[in-house]
Amino acid sequence: MSCKNSMKAEHFMEAVPHALVGLTRQGECCFINAKARSLLGEAASPQCLSGLLEVLPGALSSALGSLWQTYLMDLTSEQSSNCSIVAAVQGKHYQLHLIPVDDNALVGGVLLTIEDITQEVHKEIQLDVFRQGVGNYRELHQNDARWDFMLEALKRLTNSQYALIGETVTQKNSALYSLRVHAVSDLSWNESSRQLMQRLRSGEMTLSNPDSILGRVFAYGETVLTDDLAGHPHKTGFPPGHPEIFNFLGVPIYDGERLVGMFGVANAPQGYHIGMARELAPFTTTCALLINLYRDSKTREKVLKRYAVAKDKAQAANRAKNDFLSSMSHELRTPLNAILGYVQLLNDVSDLPLETQLYIKHIDDSGNHLLALIGDLLDFANIEAELLPADLKPVALQPILDRLCHQVQGLASKHAITLKPWDSRGYYVMADAERVQRVLFQLVSNAIKYQPQGGSVDIIIEKVAQQVAIHVMDEGIGIDPAYHADVFTPFNRLEASKGTIEGTGVGLSLALKLAKSLGGTVTLKSEPSQSSTRHHAGKHVGADFTLWLQYAKRPIKSHADHSGTQEIPLKKEAEYNGARVLYIEDNRINQRLMERAFSKWHLLSLDIAESAEQGLEKLSQSSYDLVLMDISLPGMDGYAALKKIRATPTLASLPVIAVTAHASDTEIHRGREAGFDDYVTKPVKLNLLKQMIHTYLN
């Protein structure tokens, strides 16, 4: 084939900004423009395809050979379509096109175009760097791969063998920066150099020499370019075995005016030029963003770590405080048991002088006041402690209210308050009986204390939808609605703290917490007496604290349950004559107190053991009807002793009652779980203990 209209063809092809080569279908060169001659070398003048393949750089030659094979296959199949391929040569990227041309066109045969697309490829790579490095920062952060990804992208962009990216950090006692390396190509050549690289990668070691070729970048913010590293004035010596570094480009990373890091590349076959720093501006900006994100995440990690440490310390201090309160409660209850116990014995003496009786009453009042304060200490610990999960099951309210009224009767009598409990027979709730009683004790004792003497406390029960509301109503002065939320705040006693009403202000807080553990709550309805219009049964209502619990149906009893509910006649007290009780207690005063109490009960025989070991020996030698046992004992404690008792076949069914100063919810729960038949806290109410003993002996 011959070239047609050669002047027009030459003018057109020289004006094209890409390298162009005209080829016949047989592979003969008929035209090469100036751009192509520059690429091939001015001295080269290939006459055909084979000559062209010889003078083209290696990657371009291979790409053109593949394209020509594709073109020939298209000719065989009588197809006529463009085909293209991309090749990289010495850091530049080229796209080759073979375009079939009709005979009527300027050139007949095939037109080869070779287009430099390096800038477009770099833009795409840098866009991908930004998208992956910043857009997927969280994912890369989780995989700890962000800096490795950036390092590989930098090597692609610069066609470099080695690269490094780092963050500037302030040196101690210096205005200069040092460099913390985030990613670096492996330059190790022996074991010691591998360890050095590992220390660099982990951030354990930083680079700090400001006069090195790297230091000029990270310490002074200079751009360093050299194609003769050996002759550079700031080159430092490389140890024997170090890989050869023959050229280098170091670029500082700025965030505005602030130097935040640097990157460096080395050993690019095509060398480096100063314009490359400008071309890499998007990459540099992405690095600055990542360094800031990295610093923010590290700051956040440090804050979270400090917070976690502070939280652990606070929790440890809180546990220590609660342990201290529990320990103090135990230590105070032990001597108080003797004080209030002997007061109970003295109250049974009928011929004491009136003045002595008055002294005893003062001791009793003060002792019970001290006991209430100790109880408040435990309540405070319970407010902040995690409650054990409640065992929710249908429970009857009537037995709970009966025990409650007996529990608060002494306090009500002291304040001349009349208790008026509602008939609660037939009412059942999903709850834990002990916790319900504790909530109601707080509500009722609060109602007794916060109203004038001579008043009354009404306990009223109603079913509302699928809930049971237990109202505790008093005739006090009422509470302004603005302060209703405050009454459930620990230690907030409103104006009561300025008066003579005893207490610490933790009871209602504990009541609310216990109620919530049962799936319920406590609410308050009240107004000051001047504006209150609330009445019940024709009388003024000062405050109405209401415990809300989930309604439960009466549990269906099995045949065995029905047989067990038949009335069993209680033994008369005389029938306990000779019953033997073993009391395991190490405190001498409490031993004497229990001996005096049993001596007044006449028909019960008491034996004393001063340790668990001594108690177990007595149980192995003699027969007893019941055991009263302290938990804190020298040597073996009460739990270990109980375990041995339950493991002995002849003693397994023997009733064992804990009599202890451990009075917290957790300790009571633990005692019941351990297998104690009952749990009595010190100071012991002797009459209640006597009734309990009779119940178990029955």
Side-chain angles (χ1 to χ4, degrees):
M1 171 191 159
S2 62
C3 297
K4 298 179 179 181
N5 301 320
S6 59
M7 291 182 65
K8 291 183 179 179
E10 182 178 348
H11 177 75
F12 169 77
M13 295 172 72
E14 288 294 350
V16 174
H18 310 307
L20 294 179
V21 178
L23 296 166
T24 67
R25 289 186 175 88
Q26 289 75 33
E28 298 174 355
C29 294
C30 62
F31 187 84
I32 301 175
N33 73 352
K35 290 282 186 182
R37 286 193 297 273
S38 175
L39 180 65
L40 298 174
E42 292 296 337
S45 55
Q47 302 298 312
C48 60
L49 178 66
S50 59
L52 187 63
L53 293 175
E54 287 178 3
V55 296
L56 277 173
L60 287 178
S61 178
S62 299
L64 178 56
S66 298
L67 272 182
W68 191 259
Q69 292 299 320
T70 302
Y71 167 70
L72 294 178
M73 291 174 62
D74 287 347
L75 284 180
T76 304
S77 60
E78 297 184 353
Q79 293 181 355
S80 180
S81 60
N82 298 348
C83 48
S84 65
I85 194 169
V86 175
V89 178
Q90 293 186 336
K92 290 193 172 185
H93 300 268
Y94 297 92
Q95 188 164 36
L96 288 73
H97 292 271
L98 277 181
I99 306 170
V101 181
D102 294 337
D103 289 342
N104 294 328
L106 295 177
V107 178
V110 183
L111 188 63
L112 168 66
T113 69
I114 304 175
E115 181 182 355
D116 186 346
I117 59 170
T118 302
Q119 294 298 323
E120 288 76 5
V121 170
H122 280 190
K123 288 178 182 178
E124 184 60 34
I125 292 174
Q126 295 194 76
L127 180 61
D128 186 55
V129 165
F130 182 83
R131 183 170 55 248
Q132 294 292 328
V134 177
N136 294 347
Y137 175 79
R138 189 177 301 277
E139 179 182 345
L140 289 174
H141 175 70
Q142 290 173 346
N143 298 329
D144 201 26
R146 56 193 177 278
W147 296 115
D148 290 339
F149 166 79
M150 296 295 290
L151 189 77
E152 291 305 312
L154 179 59
K155 289 164 64 177
R156 286 172 57 201
L157 285 168
T158 59
N159 192 37
S160 299
Q161 184 179 5
Y162 303 120
L164 168 147
I165 304 174
E167 170 196 3
T168 57
V169 292
T170 305
Q171 296 184 31
K172 290 183 178 179
N173 304 320
S174 173
L176 292 178
Y177 292 112
S178 59
L179 186 72
R180 177 187 292 127
V181 175
H182 287 313
V184 60
S185 299
D186 191 356
L187 292 169
S188 61
W189 63 94
N190 56 26
E191 183 58 33
S192 61
S193 64
R194 275 191 290 274
Q195 292 177 5
L196 182 67
M197 293 298 299
Q198 181 59 36
R199 292 180 64 197
L200 273 176
R201 285 194 177 107
S202 67
E204 179 185 344
M205 183 179 77
T206 59
L207 303 176
S208 58
N209 182 3
D211 295 321
S212 67
I213 195 167
L214 288 175
R216 304 308 298 178
V217 187
F218 68 72
Y220 298 107
E222 299 177 5
T223 298
V224 175
L225 171 66
T226 179
D227 282 324
D228 180 19
L229 191 64
H232 196 277
H234 294 288
K235 171 189 171 292
T236 53
F238 294 129
H242 192 287
E244 181 186 4
I245 305 292
F246 50 85
N247 57 15
F248 172 79
L249 172 66
V251 180
I253 301 171
Y254 280 94
D255 178 28
E257 300 291 327
R258 186 166 54 104
L259 180 64
V260 296
M262 70 156 288
F263 64 79
V265 287
N267 287 15
Q270 80 285 358
Y272 302 109
H273 58 87
I274 196 64
M276 188 174 286
R278 293 191 299 273
E279 293 172 3
L280 292 172
F283 179 86
T284 307
T285 301
T286 303
C287 284
L289 285 171
L290 284 177
I291 288 172
N292 285 331
L293 288 170
Y294 173 79
R295 287 177 172 178
D296 289 344
S297 69
K298 288 299 178 183
T299 300
R300 185 164 55 253
E301 286 175 10
K302 288 180 181 177
V303 170
L304 290 175
K305 191 173 292 185
R306 286 198 296 266
Y307 170 76
V309 171
K311 183 180 178 183
D312 289 343
K313 287 182 178 179
Q315 289 177 339
N318 194 51
R319 286 192 296 270
K321 176 203 66 183
N322 288 340
D323 290 344
F324 170 75
L325 292 176
S326 178
S327 175
M328 284 299 298
S329 170
H330 176 271
E331 295 302 319
L332 292 172
R333 283 173 179 270
T334 298
L336 196 57
N337 182 61
I339 294 171
L340 293 180
Y342 280 109
V343 165
Q344 293 174 69
L345 294 178
L346 289 171
N347 281 332
D348 290 338
V349 180
S350 58
D351 56 351
L352 291 174
L354 291 177
E355 187 176 9
T356 302
Q357 293 179 34
L358 180 61
Y359 295 160
I360 293 172
K361 184 180 184 303
H362 289 331
I363 295 172
D364 191 27
D365 291 343
S366 298
N368 280 294
H369 181 203
L370 178 58
L371 179 60
L373 293 176
I374 295 170
D376 286 345
L377 282 177
L378 270 185
D379 289 344
F380 173 61
N382 286 332
I383 287 173
E384 298 194 343
E386 287 294 324
L387 286 175
L388 294 168
D391 181 17
L392 301 183
K393 57 186 177 183
V395 295
L397 285 179
Q398 187 65 48
I400 295 174
L401 289 181
D402 289 343
R403 292 194 298 271
L404 172 70
C405 290
H406 187 86
Q407 185 181 12
V408 299
Q409 188 58 56
L411 181 63
S413 300
K414 176 182 176 181
H415 291 266
I417 301 297
T418 303
L419 292 177
K420 296 182 177 179
W422 195 265
D423 185 356
S424 58
R425 285 175 293 184
Y427 284 97
Y428 286 79
V429 291
M430 288 297 296
D432 175 280
E434 288 187 8
R435 291 192 184 181
V436 174
Q437 184 170 338
R438 291 192 63 204
V439 175
L440 292 176
F441 172 78
Q442 298 293 350
L443 300 183
V444 172
S445 60
N446 182 76
I448 291 171
K449 291 188 290 184
Y450 286 88
Q451 66 173 314
Q453 289 197 354
S456 66
V457 174
D458 289 79
I459 304 174
I460 300 167
I461 302 173
E462 62 174 333
K463 182 175 179 293
V464 181
Q466 292 302 307
Q467 289 185 300
V468 173
I470 308 172
H471 301 270
V472 178
M473 299 179 177
D474 63 51
E475 297 179 304
I477 60 173
I479 304 170
D480 191 308
Y483 300 107
H484 282 192
D486 294 337
V487 302
F488 295 104
T489 302
F491 306 112
N492 191 338
R493 302 181 61 215
L494 303 182
E495 294 299 314
S497 59
K498 301 176 183 178
T500 59
I501 299 175
E502 299 172 353
T504 56
V506 299
L508 293 177
S509 306
L510 180 62
L512 180 60
K513 180 176 182 178
L514 289 169
K516 288 182 176 180
S517 76
L518 298 171
T521 190
V522 176
T523 60
L524 167 62
K525 289 183 179 179
S526 179
E527 294 179 1
S529 56
Q530 300 93 312
S531 58
S532 176
T533 57
R534 288 182 56 77
H535 290 80
H536 169 71
K539 65 181 181 182
H540 161 76
V541 175
D544 176 2
F545 285 92
T546 305
L547 170 60
W548 296 86
L549 296 170
Q550 184 183 349
Y551 168 77
K553 293 182 179 179
R554 181 194 297 268
I556 300 174
K557 296 183 178 180
S558 65
H559 176 74
D561 291 332
H562 283 297
S563 65
T565 60
Q566 296 177 2
E567 189 70 22
I568 300 175
L570 294 177
K571 295 179 182 178
K572 295 180 181 179
E573 196 165 310
E575 296 181 58
Y576 295 126
N577 192 11
R580 300 189 66 199
V581 177
L582 176 63
Y583 183 37
I584 305 175
E585 166 69 69
D586 63 311
N587 185 281
R588 293 293 180 87
I589 297 177
N590 287 329
Q591 292 174 7
R592 302 291 84 79
L593 171 65
M594 199 65 75
E595 286 175 341
R596 292 297 302 163
F598 269 70
S599 68
K600 295 185 65 174
W601 297 341
H602 303 300
L603 302 176
L604 295 172
S605 172
L606 182 70
D607 198 0
I608 301 288
E610 296 186 351
S611 67
E613 292 83 356
Q614 189 181 65
L616 291 172
E617 185 178 353
K618 286 180 175 288
L619 286 170
S620 68
Q621 296 174 352
S622 303
S623 175
Y624 293 93
D625 300 288
L626 183 140
V627 175
L628 305 176
M629 182 161 60
D630 192 11
I631 290 178
S632 292
L633 294 165
M636 184 188 299
D637 67 9
Y639 291 115
L642 178 66
K643 189 174 182 179
K644 286 186 173 292
I645 291 172
R646 296 295 183 233
T648 304
T650 57
L651 303 175
S653 60
L654 179 66
V656 181
I657 300 173
V659 182
T660 175
H662 293 292
S664 70
D665 284 348
T666 303
E667 290 159 338
I668 293 172
H669 180 82
R670 181 188 175 192
R672 295 192 183 283
E673 288 292 309
F676 283 105
D677 293 278
D678 226 317
Y679 197 98
V680 177
T681 59
K682 297 174 181 176
V684 177
K685 294 189 180 298
L686 295 175
N687 286 336
L688 290 179
L689 178 63
K690 180 182 178 183
Q691 293 176 17
M692 184 181 293
I693 291 171
H694 286 175
T695 300
Y696 281 99
L697 292 179
N698 190 58

